[in-house]
Amino acid sequence: MSKNKKHFETEAIRTQTETTQFSEHSVPLYLTSGFVFEDAEEMRASFAEEKQRDLYSRYSNPNVNEFVDKVCVLEGAEAGFAFASGMAAVFSTFATLLDAGDHVVSCSSVFGATHGLFTKYFPKWNIECTYFNVGEVDSVESLIQPNTKFIYAETPTNPGVDVLDLEFLSAICKKHDILLVIDNCFATPYLQNPIKHGADLVIHSATKLMDGQGRVLGGVTVGKKELIREIYLFSRLTGPAMSAFNAWVLSKSLETLAVRVEKHCENALKIATYLEAHPKVKWVKYPFLKSHPKHDVAKKQMRLGGNIVAFEVEGGLEGGRSFFDSLKLCSLSANLGDTRTIATHPASTTHAKVEPEVKAAVGITDGMVRVSVGLEHVDDVIADLEQALK
Ligand SMILES: *Cc1c(COP(=O)(O)O)cnc(C)c1O
């Protein structure tokens, strides 16, 4: 990590691994599974961790190190480990921190696969999870048990675009001597640094805005050195490591994160403002709209509002589906944080089988549409939404 911290954009571009004897300006791709040693003593010292160097790409790799170093600098974290996907980061972090008999308090509005871990796999390892709804943060403290290891949350949430107060959650964790683990995927390190607000570990799906171009999967967990050390030891045995190629792509992507996210947010705010004034739209949720219930919290902890806009079209489930079918430019896809604007209709897709009370708790209504605003010219996206709303 660099000694003299510079601005975000500079760090994202200038945090690099050393180049080779060819002095290339762009860091090359170190596509190698293993690394060679001078002699028996070097190999012994390396395995004993007396010598810091790359041994095997399941443990570390120069491209992966560069990606991790960048994310650490951008998040203000001491250390990190990179994974093959966001879910590999989520799972490996949980598996490292939790023992049988432990308990987690989590916001109910979490990524679908994370919800699946909590409900389908935690019980078989005798790990318990208690959910709180976004509207019930005041009750969070009362959910903590003697065996609670950490509070887990995403903010802004998916797909409801609700906002949770990081300082509020971190104060509860400090008081009860438990950890705060935040999935910061929707905000990216450019918009929000949970560690500055008291989080112990921050998880990202690098697949989303970090790559930003819908090309590669990746994940990363950063935070306190001692915790990352444990996550590293678990991961070097179990093998969820990020590939050198994906790390090389993602390191390049981070160089443009600030300019991309800045434009994503500018477009998203314009679209949210347009939708809010549209007679066929019942409500719009976007953190930087004054109408957002947690607008003050969003302003306090986020630089800009992000690229996800949720809104409700008239006509319930049918209205949502027909709006969705009428889109011409926007893609119907499960990904988000791409250059291309993507729309999803949770009630008929990702959350079709979810009970109505659960849907209501995570902010999903039948006519709700979630848009991941891309980098096309905003007027063209608005024109597409306009014709679909007709
Ligand atoms: C996509 C996503 C994940 C999972 O990431 P993958 O790279 O798809 O495995 C986790 N959390 C959030 C908030 C996400 O949006």
Side-chain angles (χ1 to χ4, degrees):
M1 212 184 287
S2 65
K3 295 113 227 141
N4 307 310
K5 198 157 168 22
K6 299 181 186 70
H7 292 91
F8 187 98
E9 294 82 346
T10 313
E11 297 286 10
I13 291 169
R14 293 289 177 175
T15 305
Q16 287 197 335
T17 54
E18 282 163 31
T19 50
T20 70
Q21 74 271 26
F22 299 113
S23 307
E24 48 298 88
H25 198 189
S26 172
V27 174
L29 171 56
Y30 294 93
L31 204 55
T32 176
S33 37
F35 302 84
V36 287
F37 304 91
E38 288 289 320
D39 51 27
E41 173 50 24
E42 195 198 12
M43 196 158 178
R44 183 207 61 78
S46 305
F47 273 82
E49 295 188 72
E50 289 162 22
K51 183 169 180 177
Q52 278 296 322
R53 52 156 293 167
D54 296 308
L55 311 181
Y56 188 56
S57 288
R58 169 151 41 82
Y59 303 0
S60 70
N61 168 286
N63 293 117
V64 179
N65 301 344
E66 174 179 316
F67 171 69
V68 171
D69 286 350
K70 277 193 190 187
V71 178
C72 286
V73 175
L74 303 181
E75 280 289 13
E78 292 172 1
F81 191 84
F83 299 90
S85 69
M87 279 322 296
V90 171
F91 173 70
S92 304
T93 303
F94 289 174
T96 304
L97 297 179
L98 296 166
D99 295 316
D102 280 345
H103 174 248
V104 172
V105 173
S106 170
C107 180
S108 58
S109 204
V110 288
F111 187 66
T114 307
H115 171 73
L117 275 183
F118 286 145
T119 52
K120 192 156 178 237
Y121 292 100
F122 271 31
K124 80 170 186 177
W125 297 317
N126 191 26
I127 296 168
E128 210 192 335
C129 172
T130 308
Y131 277 142
F132 64 90
N133 294 331
V134 281
E136 308 168 341
V137 279
D138 291 338
S139 72
V140 171
E141 191 167 4
S142 68
L143 305 176
I144 293 172
Q145 306 174 6
N147 59 342
T148 305
K149 268 276 166 71
F150 57 83
I151 294 181
Y152 185 78
E154 299 171 7
T155 180
T157 64
N158 180 23
V161 208
D162 285 296
V163 171
L164 293 165
D165 189 329
L166 292 167
E167 275 164 16
F168 175 81
L169 293 177
S170 116
I172 296 173
C173 291
K174 298 260 173 336
K175 185 170 159 198
H176 292 269
D177 198 21
I178 59 174
L179 302 172
L180 179 61
V181 183
I182 297 295
D183 181 333
N184 198 31
C185 170
F186 271 35
T188 81
Y190 183 65
L191 299 182
Q192 172 175 282
N193 294 132
I195 290 172
K196 290 196 186 123
H197 301 286
D200 299 283
L201 288 171
V202 173
I203 299 175
H204 282 282
S205 165
T207 313
K208 312 296 167 55
L209 284 164
M210 275 196 184
D211 174 42
Q213 288 144 92
R215 301 169 296 182
V216 298
L217 296 187
V220 62
T221 301
V222 300
K224 296 232 167 79
K225 219 167 23 190
E226 324 80 76
L227 297 170
I228 295 296
R229 169 81 185 154
E230 294 305 315
I231 292 169
Y232 163 74
L233 291 174
F234 174 83
S235 304
R236 78 180 237 174
L237 285 185
T238 54
M242 175 179 277
S243 79
F245 178 76
N246 285 10
W248 178 79
V249 170
L250 287 164
S251 287
K252 281 278 158 212
S253 309
L254 285 182
E255 296 190 15
T256 56
L257 184 72
V259 278
R260 286 187 288 104
V261 171
E262 193 84 33
K263 190 69 182 175
H264 274 290
C265 294
E266 182 191 318
N267 288 355
L269 181 60
K270 281 188 187 155
I271 286 170
T273 307
Y274 155 79
L275 288 168
E276 198 164 46
H278 199 288
K280 285 196 179 158
V281 173
K282 284 173 132 174
W283 54 258
V284 181
K285 212 124 153 251
Y286 182 70
F288 268 37
L289 277 186
K290 286 208 177 65
S291 57
H292 192 285
K294 290 282 172 349
H295 179 247
D296 53 332
V297 179
K299 282 273 183 180
K300 182 178 76 171
Q301 65 193 29
M302 296 176 75
R303 193 197 291 254
L304 294 164
N307 81 318
I308 310 290
V309 181
F311 62 99
E312 163 106 9
V313 296
E314 296 220 313
L317 200 60
E318 268 322 297
R321 276 179 61 106
S322 97
F323 168 81
F324 203 55
D325 271 341
S326 312
L327 291 169
K328 294 196 173 91
L329 181 74
C330 299
S331 315
L332 313 185
S333 169
N335 193 25
L336 60 90
D338 198 326
T339 49
R340 295 149 197 230
T341 299
I342 294 168
T344 54
H345 180 226
S348 71
T349 59
T350 49
H351 292 71
K353 295 203 178 79
V354 176
E355 303 77 55
E357 317 82 70
V358 179
K359 270 194 288 205
V362 296
I364 296 168
T365 52
D366 285 344
M368 175 188 162
V369 178
R370 184 198 76 186
V371 177
S372 164
V373 176
L375 298 178
E376 303 97 336
H377 196 288
V378 69
D379 292 348
D380 293 329
V381 179
I382 289 177
D384 192 34
L385 298 173
E386 177 78 27
Q387 64 82 26
L389 282 166
K390 274 199 188 120

